[in-house]
Amino acid sequence: MNRFEDKKVLVTGGTRGIGRACVEAFLAEGARVVFCGRDLERVRQTAGELGERALGLACDVGDAAAVEEMAGEAEEWLGGLDVLVCNSGIARFDFLVRMKDADWDAVQQVNLNGVFYCCRAVSKGMIKRRGGRIVTVSSIMGLHGGSGMTNYSAAKGGIIGFTKAMAQELARRNITANVVAPGYTETDMTSTMTPETVKTLMERIPLGRSAQPAEIAKAVLFLASDDASYITGEVLCVDGGLTM
């Protein structure tokens, strides 16, 4: 399929994991893609691997000024913007009674404030062009929480509420906004989980396995495509049946 032929796409957190899978999937379906990441060397390496239809930019999405600059560069290079995928995220797990202020604040700043900064910056152009697709990447932890993840769960839950409100504001301009909420997915972030935690998770997942980043990317591309033109404000859980 070439659902995104000549479409212009921005993916945050696009150097690895789910974000990298999204970038590759959009490119495979004909899009031109700008992606960002915090690590300049990783951004450069990824851009070199992806080819000339992809541009990598270094950006900390938790920095509002940096996001405005990055979004401007992306729109200039692409000549507009049709799709935004907000995927950047960090995790600093600990139990509530041991949670440090710095770890709470850092996760909110990147995972939640970063989504706000990116959507605010990009939606301006979409409103003027009267069209666009925004997909935010949350987590099933944003729906049900997780022990040792109060900061992460709060941020991911905030993304869901934010996206639902944004969908109502932007619908009149033919801009859809939806959420993908992955379950346990094999990424760098989840690689630090203990074998015991992974075993417990696997026992609860009806499909009996973890997701691959490419499987999450397929859900993102669906919501970003014309196939989902009448869907907005929704949360699509991609979790092997864990939350059904």
Side-chain angles (χ1 to χ4, degrees), residues 88-160:
S88 294
I90 62 172
R92 296 185 181 179
F93 302 137
D94 208 344
F95 291 111
L96 173 63
V97 295
R98 296 202 300 257
M99 182 72 64
K100 296 180 176 63
D101 289 355
D103 289 340
W104 174 273
D105 292 343
V107 170
Q108 307 314 309
Q109 192 64 27
V110 173
N111 294 16
L112 181 55
N113 291 0
V115 170
F116 161 58
Y117 298 148
C118 290
C119 292
R120 180 177 61 180
V122 165
S123 63
K124 297 170 187 175
M126 289 183 174
I127 289 170
K128 290 179 182 177
R129 292 185 292 271
R130 292 180 173 269
R133 301 279 187 269
I134 297 174
V135 182
T136 59
V137 179
S138 177
S139 166
I140 59 169
M141 297 305 171
L143 290 167
H144 302 286
S147 177
M149 302 180 185
T150 52
N151 54 356
Y152 187 80
S153 299
K156 292 300 187 178
I159 289 172
I160 292 171

Side-chain angles (χ1 to χ4, degrees), residues 82-84 126 131-136 163 166-168 170-179 222-226 228-234:
D82 300 304
V83 178
L84 168 65
M126 289 183 174
R133 301 279 187 269
I134 297 174
V135 182
T136 59
T163 305
M166 176 173 59
Q168 294 181 45
L170 300 180
R172 69 191 66 183
R173 299 294 183 179
N174 194 35
I175 302 166
T176 64
N178 292 288
V179 183
F222 166 67
L223 290 174
S225 75
D226 289 341
S229 59
Y230 200 58
I231 300 172
T232 196
E234 291 297 325

Side-chain angles (χ1 to χ4, degrees), residues 25-49:
F26 277 117
L27 290 171
E29 291 205 31
R32 294 174 63 226
V33 182
V34 173
F35 67 91
C36 73
R38 290 197 295 179
D39 186 328
L40 177 59
E41 287 307 311
R42 186 184 287 273
V43 167
R44 287 174 173 169
Q45 178 183 344
T46 303
E49 293 167 354

